[in-house]
Each structure stands twice: as C-alpha cells, then as structure tokens.
Amino acid sequence: MLYPRESETREVRSLDGIWNFVRSDQANPTQGVRDEWYAKELSKSRPTIPMPVPASYNDITTDNLRDHVGTVWYDRKFFVPRSWSKDQRIWLRFGSVHYEAYVWINGQKVVKHEMGHLPFEAEVTDLLSYGAENRITVMCDNALIQTTVPQGRITEVPNDGGMTIVQSYTFDFFNYAGIHRSVHLYTTPRTFIEEVEVTTNLSKDATVGEVFYSVSVNGSAANEADNVLQIQANLYDKDGILVANATSDQKLGGKLQVNPVKPWWPYLMHSEPGYLYQLEIKLLATNDELLDVYRLKVGIRTLSWNSQQFLINGKPVYFRGFGRHEDSDIRGKGLDNALMVRDFNLLKWIGANAYRTSHYPYSEESMQFADEHGIMIIDECPSVDTENFSQELLGKHKSSLEQLIHRDRNHPSVVMWSIANEPRTGSVSADSYFELVANFTRSLDKTRPITAAIAVSNTQDKAGRSLDIISFNRYNAWYSNAGRLDMITQNVIDEAIAWNKRYNKPIIMSEYGADTLEGLHMQPAYVWSEEFQTEVFSRHFKAFDELRKKGWFIGEFVWNFADFKTAQSYTRVGGNKKGVFTRARQPKAAAHLLRKRYFALGRDLDQCSFPEDLFTYIADLIS
Ligand code: GCB
C-alpha cells in the first residue's frame, strides 16, 4: 500500500483535526450499530465531545474514558471540491485505528479493518457528494481477545455497581485506542499506479548500484487489450540530477543502473548516512499519454547474513540501539511530529544506529525519517506474548505480517522483520506455528532476515530453528536476582553462548534494563535509583565486549528508550520506568553513560568521530 503523496496527477487532503466523539455504554457496545448512529450526525443520537485526530482518546478527558472497554464513535464533516468529480477516483485512507474500525461515508458502509498500527484504505468515489458537504463516521473497538493480535481477555466481574467488563492483557504497555494516525482523502487518475516494489543491489566494489522496480496498475486502461501500458522510471540524486532512467518491460518491471552510486549507509557507519535517491514512476498509455505519476525515496544497499554475521553493503553490522514505544503524555499513541523529531534527535545524540519497533508497526512518517537519518529498524509486527496458538490466530498473525511487509518493504532502513515479542515458545504447538509464520514471512520477502525477541530459556525454546537471527530479552538483576549487580555479566555471557550453541546463528540481546525513577539517587546503587540503572548498563557492557570477541554477537538493545505508560499494577509507578529518557524525553544519568559507549563502539567499529561534548573536562591528567 503506497503512502499518499501529491503529484501532478494526484491530490491529497487531510481530515485531521477535531472530530466529534461518543463512547458507547460498555454493557451495550453494539447499540450504535443497531440504532444506526452512522445514518445521521452522531450528535443527533448522543451528546458528543470534541476529540483530536490523530490521538489516543484515553488521556484526553478528565473522567474514566481512559479505561473504557469496547466501542467508541467519531464523526466529522468535510467538503469535497466540485473539481474532484471529473475523471478521477477518490480514496479514503487511515494511517491506523486501534484496534478494529468500521467506517461509513454519508451513512454508507465503506470499510472494516481489524488490527492496530497498520494503514487501510477504500475507494469512496461513488459515495461522495461533489461540491458539497460530506460526513465521515468511524466506530472503533479496542477489545482484545484470544484471537486478536495482540491477544487479551475480556471478562465480566462484579463491582460496586453490579457487574462490569474488564479488559486484561499480559503485555506491558497501555492499550491506547482511537484514530492514532492521520486520515487522508486522496485522488488518483482512473487508471493508476497501485503498488511499487523496489529492491536494490550493489556491485562487489560498491561503485555501481541497481534498482529493480515492479509496478502494479489498477484501472480499466490496464485491462484493454490494445492498450499497452508502460512505466517510465527516472532516478534522481539528492541534487535533483537525473542519474538513471529506463522504460519497463510488459510486466511493468525493470532495472535502473547507477554509476557511480552513493549507497545507503547507517548513521555513524559512513560520513554521508541515509543517502536517498528519488524514484519517479510515470505510467504511460500506448500513445505516450501520461496517466499517473508517483514518486518515492529509494536507498541503494545490500543486506546479507550467515551463521555469524549480519552485513550491510558487505560490511558487518553491530547494532547499538533501543526497544521503544510510540507513547507520550496526553496523546498516547497518536502521531506527533514534534515528538518524532525530538526522538530522532535524541537517538542521534546518543549515538544509536538502530531500534526495534517494539511491539507493533510504527508510523509511516517515522519509517521515512529513519530512511533519511540512516537509523536501522528491526520492524516488528503486533504479536506480543503470543500464546494459545490456534488456526484463527495464525491467520491473523500472518495477515499482520503481510500488511506490514506491503507497507514497509521499500524502506532501506528496515533491515530485519521481527515476527513476535516474547511468544510462549516453550509450548509444543509453538514449534510448527512459528515455522509457518517464518516461512510465510520469507515467502513475502527474501531480502531481509527474520528474528523474534524470545524470553523463554534456550533449552525450552521451539521457535529459534525457524529464525535467521536469535534475539533474546533478559532482565538480570531485575526480574531475576533483583538488586544483584554481581549476577549480571557472567549470566549474560553464558546465556548468549548457550543460544549460539543451540542454533548456530547470530545473537542479539534485544532487551535488558532496570526501572529507574528520575531524581532518585542512592549510593551504593539500589534498585530504582539512577545509580542502579547506570551500574546495570555497565555490567552488561562488560558482557557484550566479551561476547563481541566471539564473532557471532551482533547487537545490544537497551529496554527502553523512554518511560512509557502501562496498565495499572503495583509493579509500575506511573508506568514502565526503564527509559533512558523520561517520558518528557529528558536524559536520566544512564543516558550519558550509554552515549559514551555507543560512540566508543562507533569509533572502534566504524571509525566515526566523537562529538565535542562527549566527555566533560575534568583535568588534563585524565583523557
Ligand atoms: C519484557 C517485554 C517488554 C516489557 C519489559 C519490562 O520482556 O518485552 O514489553 O516492557 O519486559 O520492562 O518488563
């Protein structure tokens, strides 16, 4: 699914803003459908409140909307210009709605979509009134059950008022819901470019680049026998200079050659990281009539992997990064450009070269940003704590990967697919389940390796054999041996060696860390203090340096980039506090330590230079 972009043949309009909002009665979630609330303005059925889009709805009001379970409704009006009625098609696209969405235009059903964090769209050409006002209505359901991705449970339990519905889940982040990302209307010509798939290659000496493109077209002109469609593909460098062009074959695919090429490199691995070309795709009819134009950024790079290493452009990669969340005060998981840019500034400040989109796909805008800044992404689907493996769950799990790969496959920043976080892979049924999920993922994309962040012990695990790279999450001195700083280093070394011995594959530590309350200082270090987090990191660094010598240990990911909100529990003080940054994106003490390590690794492995302010002057006796 292509990101909506303007061109000489396409217009894009945002429907973001303040919408009207109604919550259903928890005990009667389908009432709005039965009573056809979508048939007229919501305010005619129920009193509405204003609700920003995009945003999670949970933290906007002062009442208990935060903990609402079940359906909520949104609507708004918008104009469609008269000019849009002429010879084009109109599409309605949501960046993401969590978890399930039902959409109506002017009272007519348009689309239903299940799965948060992923885009969906539908054609609305025949449902709109042109040169007139229109209404869009959305019903959103946040209920998670055993066959949703991720899984949850809904139970009815007694409370002071009688009975109430309770949503529970085992994953450790708040189940924020609502219209989380932008809503767009966009136009295409009658016959238009529907899909573009791009893969790239480099010559051995990395001087010549190849861009393979394949285009699929939607529309009547594509079906007319005497109309031979063609793609004219033009590739421009950063200065806008045409560096390659080609005309497609009859299958609408082709190859562009760039000589000399500027490959896409990760941040700190090269002096010009994140180099992107612009690929212009022009759809032409037989008589050279221009039907449609779509442009996208392309990074030219290769990925390869074996039992020891992961390589980019032939050079071994050592990942230094984070597990993260899309999470912030007030807007929850709603797209926020200010937050996104701040986060990337912090990632670069601290010298990270990668993150995992734990535990669901992040916004398309952030994927584009990662491409431009050379931040490598382990792209995770929304399967967390996967258990009770069923055929229905398998179908949805595969669908989440299919949607993710179709959305993200053209991003050079995406270097690996993560097919689950902490699945219960000790159970017998996990064996064939993950074999099927991994093979399905491979059938959609052979150019990237597959991993999963595993938390069961290496002796119990049944998924590792189906993966290309093993990632493991472990909280030494926190969930096991709490407070025991002397029980970290050797345990990490032993466990990584055991994973490697069992599967003979590259190993990543994908999570480690400690909850830390900013401003709490205790010497000697004590759990929850800034000193403790700093020490926990340092003991892990020792283990990682030992492991790096072995050749197959390829990365370290701190849990977590920033503090984030979780479900209420006595183990969480206002949420999960394992952030290196606070929820307001300010550094804790450990951030300064981590920065020194990540830049030290960058200098040692990739010959990057140190930022001037990396070390604070103390005395010229110390350097
Ligand atoms: C984990 C999970 C992550 C949690 C983290 C924690 O293993 O993958 O989602 O937030 O532990 O802090 O407990």
Side-chain angles (χ1 to χ4, degrees), residues 308-309 317-318 489-490 493 496-497 500 507 540-556 597 601 604-605:
Q308 298 256 319
Q309 292 169 311
V317 168
Y318 187 74
T489 310
Q490 198 55 46
I493 294 172
I497 290 175
N500 175 259
I507 308 293
H540 279 83
F541 299 163
K542 249 195 199 145
F544 299 150
D545 282 349
E546 214 39 57
L547 288 166
R548 287 196 304 123
K549 292 182 198 147
K550 307 208 178 284
W552 43 256
F553 188 76
I554 62 163
E556 52 189 87
R597 169 151 183 98
L601 287 169
D604 184 36
L605 299 167

mmCIF file of all heavy atoms in Angstrom, residues 308-309 317-318 489-490 493 496-497 500 507 540-556 597 601 604-605:
data_model
loop_
_atom_site.group_PDB
_atom_site.id
_atom_site.type_symbol
_atom_site.label_atom_id
_atom_site.label_comp_id
_atom_site.label_asym_id
_atom_site.label_seq_id
_atom_site.Cartn_x
_atom_site.Cartn_y
_atom_site.Cartn_z
ATOM 1 N N GLN A 308 27.122 -16.240 11.430
ATOM 2 C CA GLN A 308 27.927 -15.423 12.344
ATOM 3 C C GLN A 308 27.573 -13.941 12.304
ATOM 4 O O GLN A 308 27.646 -13.263 13.312
ATOM 5 C CB GLN A 308 29.412 -15.535 11.941
ATOM 6 C CG GLN A 308 29.996 -16.903 12.035
ATOM 7 C CD GLN A 308 30.874 -17.045 13.251
ATOM 8 O OE1 GLN A 308 31.626 -16.135 13.573
ATOM 9 N NE2 GLN A 308 30.765 -18.160 13.937
ATOM 10 N N GLN A 309 27.256 -13.477 11.096
ATOM 11 C CA GLN A 309 27.207 -12.028 10.912
ATOM 12 C C GLN A 309 25.959 -11.551 10.204
ATOM 13 O O GLN A 309 25.273 -12.316 9.524
ATOM 14 C CB GLN A 309 28.391 -11.601 10.013
ATOM 15 C CG GLN A 309 29.735 -11.761 10.629
ATOM 16 C CD GLN A 309 30.801 -11.568 9.564
ATOM 17 O OE1 GLN A 309 30.732 -12.158 8.482
ATOM 18 N NE2 GLN A 309 31.768 -10.725 9.865
ATOM 19 N N VAL A 317 27.692 -5.512 10.607
ATOM 20 C CA VAL A 317 26.984 -4.507 11.420
ATOM 21 C C VAL A 317 26.988 -4.941 12.871
ATOM 22 O O VAL A 317 26.762 -6.116 13.178
ATOM 23 C CB VAL A 317 25.518 -4.392 10.947
ATOM 24 C CG1 VAL A 317 24.684 -3.587 11.932
ATOM 25 C CG2 VAL A 317 25.455 -3.763 9.559
ATOM 26 N N TYR A 318 27.241 -3.997 13.770
ATOM 27 C CA TYR A 318 26.983 -4.230 15.192
ATOM 28 C C TYR A 318 25.893 -3.242 15.600
ATOM 29 O O TYR A 318 26.076 -2.024 15.523
ATOM 30 C CB TYR A 318 28.257 -4.027 16.025
ATOM 31 C CG TYR A 318 28.047 -4.418 17.464
ATOM 32 C CD1 TYR A 318 27.974 -5.755 17.842
ATOM 33 C CD2 TYR A 318 27.894 -3.443 18.450
ATOM 34 C CE1 TYR A 318 27.746 -6.123 19.171
ATOM 35 C CE2 TYR A 318 27.676 -3.797 19.776
ATOM 36 C CZ TYR A 318 27.602 -5.139 20.123
ATOM 37 O OH TYR A 318 27.381 -5.495 21.435
ATOM 38 N N THR A 489 26.970 -9.967 34.598
ATOM 39 C CA THR A 489 27.909 -10.141 33.474
ATOM 40 C C THR A 489 28.038 -11.611 33.045
ATOM 41 O O THR A 489 27.855 -11.942 31.872
ATOM 42 C CB THR A 489 29.288 -9.552 33.852
ATOM 43 O OG1 THR A 489 29.071 -8.234 34.353
ATOM 44 C CG2 THR A 489 30.204 -9.491 32.658
ATOM 45 N N GLN A 490 28.336 -12.476 34.003
ATOM 46 C CA GLN A 490 28.558 -13.881 33.633
ATOM 47 C C GLN A 490 27.280 -14.534 33.112
ATOM 48 O O GLN A 490 27.313 -15.331 32.176
ATOM 49 C CB GLN A 490 29.128 -14.658 34.832
ATOM 50 C CG GLN A 490 29.784 -15.975 34.444
ATOM 51 C CD GLN A 490 30.881 -15.814 33.372
ATOM 52 O OE1 GLN A 490 31.738 -14.933 33.457
ATOM 53 N NE2 GLN A 490 30.823 -16.628 32.316
ATOM 54 N N ILE A 493 26.790 -13.514 29.500
ATOM 55 C CA ILE A 493 27.745 -14.230 28.634
ATOM 56 C C ILE A 493 27.296 -15.683 28.452
ATOM 57 O O ILE A 493 27.200 -16.184 27.328
ATOM 58 C CB ILE A 493 29.169 -14.190 29.253
ATOM 59 C CG1 ILE A 493 29.687 -12.747 29.276
ATOM 60 C CG2 ILE A 493 30.124 -15.107 28.500
ATOM 61 C CD1 ILE A 493 30.990 -12.548 30.043
ATOM 62 N N ALA A 496 24.060 -16.005 26.225
ATOM 63 C CA ALA A 496 24.292 -15.749 24.791
ATOM 64 C C ALA A 496 25.035 -16.930 24.158
ATOM 65 O O ALA A 496 24.690 -17.383 23.051
ATOM 66 C CB ALA A 496 25.066 -14.459 24.608
ATOM 67 N N ILE A 497 26.017 -17.442 24.873
ATOM 68 C CA ILE A 497 26.774 -18.596 24.342
ATOM 69 C C ILE A 497 25.837 -19.794 24.157
ATOM 70 O O ILE A 497 25.888 -20.500 23.142
ATOM 71 C CB ILE A 497 27.955 -18.954 25.276
ATOM 72 C CG1 ILE A 497 29.020 -17.853 25.196
ATOM 73 C CG2 ILE A 497 28.546 -20.316 24.932
ATOM 74 C CD1 ILE A 497 30.187 -18.015 26.152
ATOM 75 N N ASN A 500 23.731 -19.399 21.081
ATOM 76 C CA ASN A 500 24.522 -19.597 19.873
ATOM 77 C C ASN A 500 24.848 -21.086 19.673
ATOM 78 O O ASN A 500 24.779 -21.599 18.559
ATOM 79 C CB ASN A 500 25.806 -18.764 19.938
ATOM 80 C CG ASN A 500 26.714 -19.036 18.755
ATOM 81 O OD1 ASN A 500 27.682 -19.770 18.851
ATOM 82 N ND2 ASN A 500 26.372 -18.462 17.606
ATOM 83 N N ILE A 507 23.533 -13.725 17.327
ATOM 84 C CA ILE A 507 22.759 -13.475 18.549
ATOM 85 C C ILE A 507 22.719 -11.974 18.848
ATOM 86 O O ILE A 507 23.735 -11.278 18.760
ATOM 87 C CB ILE A 507 23.396 -14.186 19.770
ATOM 88 C CG1 ILE A 507 23.643 -15.675 19.479
ATOM 89 C CG2 ILE A 507 22.562 -13.986 21.032
ATOM 90 C CD1 ILE A 507 22.417 -16.530 19.308
ATOM 91 N N HIS A 540 26.397 -4.943 31.882
ATOM 92 C CA HIS A 540 26.049 -5.557 30.592
ATOM 93 C C HIS A 540 27.116 -5.243 29.540
ATOM 94 O O HIS A 540 27.478 -6.104 28.742
ATOM 95 C CB HIS A 540 24.676 -5.067 30.107
ATOM 96 C CG HIS A 540 23.529 -5.786 30.746
ATOM 97 N ND1 HIS A 540 23.033 -5.445 31.984
ATOM 98 C CD2 HIS A 540 22.797 -6.848 30.341
ATOM 99 C CE1 HIS A 540 22.037 -6.259 32.291
ATOM 100 N NE2 HIS A 540 21.868 -7.118 31.310
ATOM 101 N N PHE A 541 27.610 -4.022 29.535
ATOM 102 C CA PHE A 541 28.632 -3.643 28.540
ATOM 103 C C PHE A 541 29.830 -4.600 28.626
ATOM 104 O O PHE A 541 30.401 -4.999 27.610
ATOM 105 C CB PHE A 541 29.126 -2.207 28.767
ATOM 106 C CG PHE A 541 28.055 -1.148 28.654
ATOM 107 C CD1 PHE A 541 28.277 0.131 29.180
ATOM 108 C CD2 PHE A 541 26.840 -1.408 28.030
ATOM 109 C CE1 PHE A 541 27.308 1.119 29.086
ATOM 110 C CE2 PHE A 541 25.860 -0.416 27.933
ATOM 111 C CZ PHE A 541 26.096 0.855 28.469
ATOM 112 N N LYS A 542 30.181 -4.935 29.855
ATOM 113 C CA LYS A 542 31.318 -5.859 30.059
ATOM 114 C C LYS A 542 31.031 -7.187 29.378
ATOM 115 O O LYS A 542 31.898 -7.756 28.716
ATOM 116 C CB LYS A 542 31.501 -6.101 31.561
ATOM 117 C CG LYS A 542 32.750 -5.486 32.090
ATOM 118 C CD LYS A 542 33.105 -6.009 33.455
ATOM 119 C CE LYS A 542 34.052 -4.995 34.055
ATOM 120 N NZ LYS A 542 33.899 -4.835 35.467
ATOM 121 N N ALA A 543 29.820 -7.676 29.590
ATOM 122 C CA ALA A 543 29.442 -8.956 28.968
ATOM 123 C C ALA A 543 29.469 -8.822 27.446
ATOM 124 O O ALA A 543 30.005 -9.688 26.742
ATOM 125 C CB ALA A 543 28.049 -9.369 29.435
ATOM 126 N N PHE A 544 28.915 -7.728 26.937
ATOM 127 C CA PHE A 544 28.841 -7.556 25.477
ATOM 128 C C PHE A 544 30.251 -7.519 24.861
ATOM 129 O O PHE A 544 30.475 -8.063 23.784
ATOM 130 C CB PHE A 544 28.083 -6.266 25.116
ATOM 131 C CG PHE A 544 26.652 -6.232 25.602
ATOM 132 C CD1 PHE A 544 26.040 -5.024 25.936
ATOM 133 C CD2 PHE A 544 25.907 -7.403 25.731
ATOM 134 C CE1 PHE A 544 24.725 -4.983 26.378
ATOM 135 C CE2 PHE A 544 24.583 -7.372 26.178
ATOM 136 C CZ PHE A 544 23.996 -6.158 26.507
ATOM 137 N N ASP A 545 31.178 -6.863 25.548
ATOM 138 C CA ASP A 545 32.527 -6.775 24.979
ATOM 139 C C ASP A 545 33.191 -8.146 24.938
ATOM 140 O O ASP A 545 33.940 -8.464 24.011
ATOM 141 C CB ASP A 545 33.364 -5.757 25.754
ATOM 142 C CG ASP A 545 32.998 -4.334 25.341
ATOM 143 O OD1 ASP A 545 32.265 -4.186 24.333
ATOM 144 O OD2 ASP A 545 33.419 -3.374 26.010
ATOM 145 N N GLU A 546 32.913 -8.954 25.942
ATOM 146 C CA GLU A 546 33.421 -10.326 25.953
ATOM 147 C C GLU A 546 32.799 -11.097 24.775
ATOM 148 O O GLU A 546 33.487 -11.815 24.057
ATOM 149 C CB GLU A 546 32.988 -10.957 27.290
ATOM 150 C CG GLU A 546 33.916 -11.944 27.928
ATOM 151 C CD GLU A 546 35.386 -11.589 27.811
ATOM 152 O OE1 GLU A 546 35.796 -10.497 28.256
ATOM 153 O OE2 GLU A 546 36.115 -12.439 27.253
ATOM 154 N N LEU A 547 31.506 -10.910 24.607
ATOM 155 C CA LEU A 547 30.775 -11.646 23.568
ATOM 156 C C LEU A 547 31.163 -11.181 22.162
ATOM 157 O O LEU A 547 31.188 -11.980 21.222
ATOM 158 C CB LEU A 547 29.264 -11.468 23.774
ATOM 159 C CG LEU A 547 28.696 -12.221 24.987
ATOM 160 C CD1 LEU A 547 27.282 -11.736 25.325
ATOM 161 C CD2 LEU A 547 28.677 -13.730 24.713
ATOM 162 N N ARG A 548 31.466 -9.897 22.024
ATOM 163 C CA ARG A 548 31.816 -9.375 20.693
ATOM 164 C C ARG A 548 33.038 -10.086 20.124
ATOM 165 O O ARG A 548 33.164 -10.253 18.910
ATOM 166 C CB ARG A 548 32.062 -7.867 20.764
ATOM 167 C CG ARG A 548 30.767 -7.080 20.932
ATOM 168 C CD ARG A 548 30.916 -5.616 20.624
ATOM 169 N NE ARG A 548 31.952 -4.940 21.384
ATOM 170 C CZ ARG A 548 32.965 -4.281 20.836
ATOM 171 N NH1 ARG A 548 33.079 -4.204 19.530
ATOM 172 N NH2 ARG A 548 33.858 -3.672 21.601
ATOM 173 N N LYS A 549 33.907 -10.507 21.039
ATOM 174 C CA LYS A 549 35.128 -11.182 20.574
ATOM 175 C C LYS A 549 34.816 -12.516 19.895
ATOM 176 O O LYS A 549 35.625 -13.052 19.155
ATOM 177 C CB LYS A 549 36.043 -11.463 21.767
ATOM 178 C CG LYS A 549 36.620 -10.207 22.400
ATOM 179 C CD LYS A 549 37.551 -10.572 23.546
ATOM 180 C CE LYS A 549 37.777 -9.370 24.449
ATOM 181 N NZ LYS A 549 37.958 -9.747 25.855
ATOM 182 N N LYS A 550 33.637 -13.053 20.146
ATOM 183 C CA LYS A 550 33.314 -14.383 19.622
ATOM 184 C C LYS A 550 32.867 -14.338 18.161
ATOM 185 O O LYS A 550 32.784 -15.368 17.505
ATOM 186 C CB LYS A 550 32.240 -15.034 20.485
ATOM 187 C CG LYS A 550 32.615 -15.032 21.954
ATOM 188 C CD LYS A 550 32.000 -16.160 22.715
ATOM 189 C CE LYS A 550 32.447 -16.155 24.164
ATOM 190 N NZ LYS A 550 33.828 -16.648 24.333
ATOM 191 N N GLY A 551 32.519 -13.143 17.680
ATOM 192 C CA GLY A 551 32.207 -13.018 16.241
ATOM 193 C C GLY A 551 30.745 -13.126 15.898
ATOM 194 O O GLY A 551 30.300 -12.570 14.905
ATOM 195 N N TRP A 552 29.945 -13.840 16.701
ATOM 196 C CA TRP A 552 28.528 -14.032 16.345
ATOM 197 C C TRP A 552 27.583 -13.173 17.176
ATOM 198 O O TRP A 552 26.378 -13.239 17.002
ATOM 199 C CB TRP A 552 28.127 -15.509 16.485
ATOM 200 C CG TRP A 552 28.663 -16.179 17.734
ATOM 201 C CD1 TRP A 552 29.705 -17.057 17.793
ATOM 202 C CD2 TRP A 552 28.210 -16.011 19.094
ATOM 203 N NE1 TRP A 552 29.919 -17.450 19.104
ATOM 204 C CE2 TRP A 552 29.018 -16.825 19.913
ATOM 205 C CE3 TRP A 552 27.214 -15.251 19.699
ATOM 206 C CZ2 TRP A 552 28.862 -16.889 21.299
ATOM 207 C CZ3 TRP A 552 27.052 -15.319 21.075
ATOM 208 C CH2 TRP A 552 27.876 -16.134 21.864
ATOM 209 N N PHE A 553 28.122 -12.353 18.071
ATOM 210 C CA PHE A 553 27.242 -11.496 18.881
ATOM 211 C C PHE A 553 27.127 -10.157 18.163
ATOM 212 O O PHE A 553 28.120 -9.439 18.005
ATOM 213 C CB PHE A 553 27.817 -11.318 20.287
ATOM 214 C CG PHE A 553 26.851 -10.607 21.204
ATOM 215 C CD1 PHE A 553 25.762 -11.277 21.738
ATOM 216 C CD2 PHE A 553 27.019 -9.267 21.510
ATOM 217 C CE1 PHE A 553 24.851 -10.632 22.565
ATOM 218 C CE2 PHE A 553 26.106 -8.607 22.336
ATOM 219 C CZ PHE A 553 25.029 -9.289 22.862
ATOM 220 N N ILE A 554 25.915 -9.817 17.688
ATOM 221 C CA ILE A 554 25.834 -8.708 16.722
ATOM 222 C C ILE A 554 25.012 -7.514 17.206
ATOM 223 O O ILE A 554 24.716 -6.626 16.412
ATOM 224 C CB ILE A 554 25.316 -9.197 15.356
ATOM 225 C CG1 ILE A 554 23.891 -9.778 15.479
ATOM 226 C CG2 ILE A 554 26.269 -10.221 14.749
ATOM 227 C CD1 ILE A 554 23.184 -9.881 14.141
ATOM 228 N N GLY A 555 24.626 -7.475 18.489
ATOM 229 C CA GLY A 555 23.942 -6.243 18.863
ATOM 230 C C GLY A 555 23.387 -6.191 20.266
ATOM 231 O O GLY A 555 23.110 -7.213 20.891
ATOM 232 N N GLU A 556 23.267 -4.968 20.749
ATOM 233 C CA GLU A 556 22.765 -4.702 22.102
ATOM 234 C C GLU A 556 21.667 -3.640 22.025
ATOM 235 O O GLU A 556 21.853 -2.570 21.436
ATOM 236 C CB GLU A 556 23.918 -4.247 22.998
ATOM 237 C CG GLU A 556 24.736 -3.113 22.437
ATOM 238 C CD GLU A 556 26.012 -2.832 23.249
ATOM 239 O OE1 GLU A 556 27.046 -3.482 22.961
ATOM 240 O OE2 GLU A 556 25.981 -1.955 24.127
ATOM 241 N N ARG A 597 29.291 4.930 25.499
ATOM 242 C CA ARG A 597 29.509 3.582 24.954
ATOM 243 C C ARG A 597 29.172 3.533 23.461
ATOM 244 O O ARG A 597 29.949 3.000 22.678
ATOM 245 C CB ARG A 597 28.655 2.555 25.691
ATOM 246 C CG ARG A 597 28.672 1.214 24.965
ATOM 247 C CD ARG A 597 28.479 0.051 25.847
ATOM 248 N NE ARG A 597 28.567 -1.190 25.091
ATOM 249 C CZ ARG A 597 29.657 -1.942 25.012
ATOM 250 N NH1 ARG A 597 30.768 -1.584 25.644
ATOM 251 N NH2 ARG A 597 29.654 -3.066 24.331
ATOM 252 N N LEU A 601 31.806 2.540 20.593
ATOM 253 C CA LEU A 601 31.629 1.427 19.654
ATOM 254 C C LEU A 601 31.700 1.938 18.221
ATOM 255 O O LEU A 601 32.307 1.318 17.351
ATOM 256 C CB LEU A 601 30.272 0.744 19.894
ATOM 257 C CG LEU A 601 30.154 -0.106 21.156
ATOM 258 C CD1 LEU A 601 28.701 -0.498 21.417
ATOM 259 C CD2 LEU A 601 31.015 -1.366 21.042
ATOM 260 N N ASP A 604 35.304 2.570 17.368
ATOM 261 C CA ASP A 604 36.072 1.340 17.268
ATOM 262 C C ASP A 604 35.698 0.549 16.005
ATOM 263 O O ASP A 604 36.563 0.059 15.288
ATOM 264 C CB ASP A 604 35.802 0.495 18.523
ATOM 265 C CG ASP A 604 36.653 -0.760 18.526
ATOM 266 O OD1 ASP A 604 37.796 -0.683 18.068
ATOM 267 O OD2 ASP A 604 36.145 -1.820 18.951
ATOM 268 N N LEU A 605 34.391 0.437 15.739
ATOM 269 C CA LEU A 605 33.942 -0.447 14.664
ATOM 270 C C LEU A 605 33.818 0.262 13.328
ATOM 271 O O LEU A 605 34.031 -0.329 12.281
ATOM 272 C CB LEU A 605 32.581 -1.055 15.035
ATOM 273 C CG LEU A 605 32.576 -1.913 16.302
ATOM 274 C CD1 LEU A 605 31.160 -2.205 16.745
ATOM 275 C CD2 LEU A 605 33.327 -3.206 16.035
#
